[in-house]
Amino acid sequence: MCLLDHVIEWDAEHIVCIATSHRRDDHPLRFRGRLSAAVAIEYAAQAMAAHGAAIAARTEAPAVGFLTAVRGVRFGVDRLDTLDAPLRCEAHRLSGDARNILYAFEVRAGEQRVAEGRATVMLDADDTLGLANAAT
């Protein structure tokens, strides 16, 4: 499930992506016809994954990542499906090493803050649950 439309900028420390899928009636994360603001965390996580893919060496596949924690999340809206503006999803790498990365993220719709917080991503974790190949 790819919710992002495109990447508009990135460098080694940050990425900015745009999404309009929150307006779709058939959005895969809608529940009872509504799209909770909590889904903004998924948009941010996909921006983080796109960042990892963008900065990966061209000779190697991007690492498999798992969102392991979110902290300090604040929401500025209750629902995403009521927002007309595209979502601007930004992720900034704060720190990390070869296995764990801490990102700050912000999702906005125009001037409206939708969500912001921090997220920890674990790369190439021991996949004892078999989740890495679940989509294939």
Side-chain angles (χ1 to χ4, degrees), residues 41-65:
I41 296 170
E42 176 63 24
Y43 280 92
Q46 288 193 15
M48 293 171 219
H51 185 250
I55 64 172
R58 301 239 185 248
T59 59
E60 63 186 62
V64 174

Side-chain angles (χ1 to χ4, degrees), residues 2 15 75 88 99 105 115 122 127:
C2 180
I15 191 163
F75 296 103
R88 180 181 170 96
R99 298 241 354 190
F105 66 86
M122 182 181 292
D127 189 24

Side-chain angles (χ1 to χ4, degrees), residues 95-123:
S95 64
D97 57 26
R99 298 241 354 190
N100 294 289
I101 301 171
L102 177 62
Y103 280 98
F105 66 86
E106 181 179 52
V107 178
R108 299 187 75 81
E111 296 300 314
Q112 175 69 51
R113 179 177 47 88
V114 174
E116 64 183 3
R118 294 179 319 281
T120 304
V121 176
M122 182 181 292
L123 301 175

Side-chain angles (χ1 to χ4, degrees), residues 24-93:
R24 291 180 27 209
D25 289 335
D26 65 343
H27 193 289
L29 298 177
R30 274 187 183 257
F31 181 71
R32 296 185 179 167
R34 299 167 69 106
L35 190 61
S36 169
V39 174
I41 296 170
E42 176 63 24
Y43 280 92
Q46 288 193 15
M48 293 171 219
H51 185 250
I55 64 172
R58 301 239 185 248
T59 59
E60 63 186 62
V64 174
F66 295 93
L67 190 64
T68 57
V70 292
R71 301 265 194 264
V73 178
R74 295 185 304 187
F75 296 103
V77 299
D78 293 327
R79 296 170 55 181
L80 301 182
D81 55 310
T82 60
L83 302 171
D84 291 328
L87 298 179
R88 180 181 170 96
C89 309
E90 295 189 46
H92 295 268
R93 183 182 172 129

